[in-house]
Amino acid sequence: MDEDTDLRLRDLDIAIAHWGINAWGGAEYLATILADVLNVDRIYTIGKPKPDDPNPYGKVRFVDVTEDLSPRLLRKAQAHVGRPFEYALWEDVDWRKYGSPDVLITSGATTRSVITPAETLHLNYCHSPPRWFYDLYHDRKDSTTGVLTRPLIRYLRMRDHTIDPRVDGYFANSPIIAQRLHKYYKRDSEVLYPPVAVDSYHEDDDGGFYLHLGRLDEEKGVPEVVEAFAELDHQLVLAGGRGDVEDAVVEEIKRSGNLEYRGFVEEEEKRELLATCRAVVFNGRNEDFGIVPIEANASGKAVLARNDGFPGIYVKDGENGYRHGGTPAGIQGAVERFESNGLDGDPRSEVETFSTAAFEKQLKSAVVDRYEAFATTARGNY
């Protein structure tokens, strides 16, 4: 790590805000890593984890900003309702109470509404512009809930747009999100991939089975994966929570002699499955990032990925896997190409791009450089 960058970073007072904390997931992991890399001991958020649900990602403390908002009971009730009030809640946080930081990094969409002191640089890590406002609006608007909430969605979309100028700079978690930021906000961004502990994965002998990792969800394309392998001679192991697929899909898994559902597995078992599988099948629809293909390649295994979203950009046919169209026939075709041709490249050749070390180096340099440019501009205008 550049010692000069570290020294310059130590001179900065940095704060991190994360939009909400209802459960531990990928966004919370990212916020915790941000704090760890930047040596921040707390993350400001709306709500806080239950006492019996400790942070599995580190020792950082989450601080509930609604404790300092008035009238407190009303703000607690608004926070409980969620998104319709989150823009207003974040807008009313007075950052002078928290030391007027030099840099505030916000994680999530609604945190962008913060009004910072004039001398504070506001950077946002964007997981995605709210999809129900933009690219998924037409997928949801005709449902009963969609019809009833259209007026609210239209209001929140306008609210979302009006707060955008409060962000001084964006990080995007993939080129897909960078494209959405430009499409919907006309904003440029720097792609900063979520960190993956690539060195913690290993490769063992080919156990002869294909692997699907993730909840049994419709949006993960699980029904198509199950249908595809039910007609193949290859074994498929599925590991992940029950999800929202119809019972008929689960019954098909039970009927098929070559399909095995393990349910949710602990991290150690997951890594062992990755190490010993023949290849990983991934069928998530238009994934913003998708960590599973990276985990597969870090384990030295090919990934058969749906040809959309970031995996459709990341996977190169014949080098680190094969792409498919997401249909049962498309998945079967990808399996056949892999069985016939194998791989010409090393699946692990690209994964260092997503390593924790790469994330740390890029984040530190970006924060320091952007703050110095921000401060220089302020001085230059004097």
Side-chain angles (χ1 to χ4, degrees), residues 43 68 90 93-94 122 126 146 154 173-174 195 201 242 301 309 311-312 322 337 364:
I43 296 174
D68 295 321
W90 282 112
V93 175
D94 186 348
H122 175 192
C126 184
R154 287 169 179 153
N173 73 0
S174 77
Y201 296 87
R242 169 62 175 80
K301 301 306 170 75
Y322 288 91
R337 293 197 303 278
K364 287 184 173 181

Side-chain angles (χ1 to χ4, degrees), residues 198-340:
V198 295
D199 293 336
S200 65
Y201 296 87
H202 65 284
E203 180 181 10
D204 284 339
D205 293 337
D206 180 352
F209 64 93
Y210 285 80
L211 176 66
H212 179 276
L213 283 178
R215 289 170 60 86
L216 302 188
D217 280 343
E218 290 283 344
E219 68 176 14
K220 299 297 182 184
V222 171
E224 292 83 358
V225 173
V226 170
E227 183 178 340
F229 274 85
E231 298 174 357
L232 293 172
D233 293 330
H234 303 288
Q235 182 185 6
L236 174 70
V237 173
L238 300 101
R242 169 62 175 80
D244 62 9
V245 296
E246 295 181 359
D247 291 341
V249 176
V250 178
E251 291 302 317
E252 179 66 31
I253 294 173
K254 293 178 180 177
R255 284 196 303 270
S256 300
N258 63 323
L259 272 64
E260 178 188 356
Y261 176 47
R262 297 277 184 94
F264 175 81
V265 297
E266 298 293 341
E267 190 69 16
E268 183 177 351
E269 184 179 353
K270 183 191 83 170
R271 290 173 190 264
E272 192 60 28
L273 287 169
L274 283 163
T276 55
C277 71
R278 181 157 177 73
V280 172
V281 181
F282 186 80
N283 198 31
R285 297 170 185 165
N286 201 25
E287 288 279 343
D288 303 335
F289 176 64
I291 194 173
V292 171
I294 312 301
E295 292 177 320
N297 284 174
S299 304
K301 301 306 170 75
V303 58
L304 312 182
R306 190 181 183 117
N307 190 22
D308 61 21
F310 180 66
I313 298 173
Y314 169 71
V315 174
K316 300 175 179 63
D317 281 349
E319 295 184 21
N320 60 341
Y322 288 91
R323 292 170 292 182
H324 57 78
T327 64
I331 295 168
Q332 291 168 350
V335 172
E336 291 168 3
R337 293 197 303 278
F338 174 64
E339 291 289 336
S340 299

